[in-house]
Amino acid sequence: MSSIAESRVLVTGGSGLIGSHTVEDLLTRGVGEVIVYDRYINDHNLSAVKDRPDVSIVQGDLNDLPTLRKAMTGIDYVIHLGGLLLLPAMRDPRQALLVNINGTYDLLELAVDLGIRKVVYASSVSVYGTPDTDLPISETYPFLNRTLYGAGKIAGEQFCRVLTHMRGLNYVALRYSSVYGPRQHLEGLYPRLIMQTLADIKRDRTPRVESTGNEVQDFVYVSDVARANVLALELEVSDVAYNIVSGVPVTVRELIETVLKIEGRPVSAEFVPPPGKELVAYRRFSGEKARLDLGFVPQVPLEEGLSRLIAWAKTSGNA
């Protein structure tokens, strides 16, 4: 295990859902400084850490090479979470190309040029697309992606491998499933259904969920994902990808019914056909490789995680 104590770590997308929790986790490990690099700085998400002397905040775009280079100069490690998520990528494919693909390549090339010790790259289970099996999907499963977002994640992983082979980049790619938790935004494909349900409850309406209710997905709590990011940074693993998942398949109907149960509402919701083809019918993932290599075992079960999310949503005015 590499000691990251006293090191300087840059987190792109560091004021987002995963980024802000990762920043907080890093600060518990005794790092010397965490640099948050983000196009849009979410002060609320960073409220617990933004005034600390060991936290620096840089507002910058991944495509702004001078600003990115300056922020990365003198850095030991990078956790690369920045980029457009699936729904924004669908709305603006050209921007997704510039940010998720060009921006990622530029960052990785800079990491090599500047002697960064390791990069943790945020990939996604979207690389697997719509599986043709109901067995748990491991990291050896083929890429069946059909989205620009997934294509960007595949490209990022390939860039990592090429630069490892050609120039000695040290990296780990983490393929997250559906990440949810406090500071939740509305751009997560499946977690947005949680927030929309909470909005309907607040208005005393029967929740209207754009889903058949039968889609099966894997939901992993954000603090677990943050811990996985730091484990990947610390441990002596490289040139490898891991599924970061709960390993527990859940239907959208079960997800929404759990939210209603926590809220003490009758277990009923209206499920309507989704407007697009974004929702995948069935996904079940294996996290065994991450357990064996990283020691990563999810700690927060779904009902507990949803309770924490709902409590945050109410105190923050999001529900």
Side-chain angles (χ1 to χ4, degrees):
M1 178 179 290
S2 300
S3 173
I4 61 173
E6 302 304 321
S7 64
R8 302 182 73 225
V9 185
L10 183 137
V11 182
T12 69
S15 72
L17 169 65
I18 301 173
S20 60
H21 285 89
T22 299
V23 168
E24 291 177 1
D25 195 302
L26 284 165
L27 292 169
T28 69
R29 313 297 177 111
V31 298
E33 183 182 12
V34 178
I35 295 87
V36 174
Y37 189 92
D38 213 323
R39 183 179 183 182
Y40 301 111
I41 303 300
N42 188 321
D43 287 329
H44 179 77
N45 285 357
L46 296 173
S47 59
V49 302
K50 65 181 181 179
D51 294 326
R52 290 180 52 144
D54 51 358
V55 174
S56 299
I57 298 174
V58 178
Q59 186 165 10
D61 195 290
L62 287 173
N63 300 121
D64 180 354
L65 276 176
T67 301
L68 184 60
R69 175 180 284 275
K70 183 178 180 181
M72 289 177 64
T73 299
I75 293 298
D76 298 297
Y77 301 99
V78 172
I79 299 178
H80 179 36
L81 306 171
L84 269 67
L85 296 176
L86 190 147
L87 294 176
M90 292 181 64
R91 293 194 293 267
D92 194 343
R94 180 62 57 178
Q95 186 66 15
L97 176 68
L98 290 173
V99 175
N100 294 1
I101 296 180
N102 292 14
T104 291
Y105 182 80
D106 288 340
L107 178 140
L108 295 173
E109 191 172 54
L110 278 174
V112 175
D113 291 344
L114 297 172
I116 302 298
R117 293 167 62 181
K118 194 173 195 177
V119 174
V120 174
Y121 171 62
S123 187
S124 167
V125 296
S126 290
V127 300
Y128 302 119
T130 302
D132 55 10
T133 179
D134 59 1
L135 296 174
I137 296 169
S138 71
E139 290 81 353
T140 58
Y141 193 80
F143 293 163
L144 301 178
N145 163 70
R146 296 290 186 275
T147 67
L148 187 61
Y149 173 75
K153 293 303 182 182
I154 292 170
E157 288 195 28
Q158 295 299 320
F159 293 154
C160 286
R161 293 190 179 102
V162 168
L163 288 171
T164 295
H165 176 68
M166 300 298 293
R167 300 190 59 195
L169 175 71
N170 185 19
Y171 83 95
V172 173
L174 301 182
R175 298 171 183 166
Y176 310 140
S177 59
S178 291
V179 183
Y180 74 101
R183 306 168 199 163
Q184 186 69 58
H185 48 69
L186 294 177
E187 300 294 4
L189 183 59
Y190 291 88
R192 71 188 168 95
L193 302 178
I194 302 169
M195 303 306 290
Q196 290 168 351
T197 297
L198 292 176
D200 285 338
I201 291 173
K202 184 177 182 179
R203 294 173 175 81
D204 202 26
R205 300 173 180 168
T206 298
R208 188 175 187 272
V209 184
E210 293 181 341
S211 158
T212 67
N214 299 319
E215 297 92 351
V216 175
Q217 185 55 273
D218 182 294
F219 296 89
V220 60
Y221 189 70
V222 65
S223 67
D224 284 330
V225 174
R227 181 164 46 87
N229 289 336
V230 179
L231 284 170
L233 209 61
E234 293 178 318
L235 295 172
E236 298 291 345
V237 290
S238 184
D239 193 17
V240 64
Y242 295 101
N243 291 341
I244 301 301
V245 299
S246 72
V248 180
V250 176
T251 67
V252 171
R253 186 178 299 275
E254 290 169 336
L255 174 75
I256 299 305
E257 288 179 350
T258 303
V259 172
L260 294 171
K261 174 186 172 184
I262 294 168
E263 286 290 85
R265 296 299 182 105
V267 181
S268 63
E270 179 187 3
F271 292 88
V272 298
K277 299 179 180 180
E278 298 86 11
L279 299 183
V280 176
Y282 191 95
R283 278 179 173 168
R284 182 183 176 196
F285 301 104
S286 170
E288 185 67 4
K289 186 177 179 182
R291 183 185 71 81
L292 292 174
D293 289 7
L294 302 179
F296 173 73
V297 178
Q299 297 177 349
V300 182
L302 183 65
E303 186 166 346
E304 180 181 343
L306 287 173
S307 295
R308 294 182 189 179
L309 167 57
I310 291 168
W312 166 82
K314 290 179 177 179
T315 58
S316 65
N318 288 275

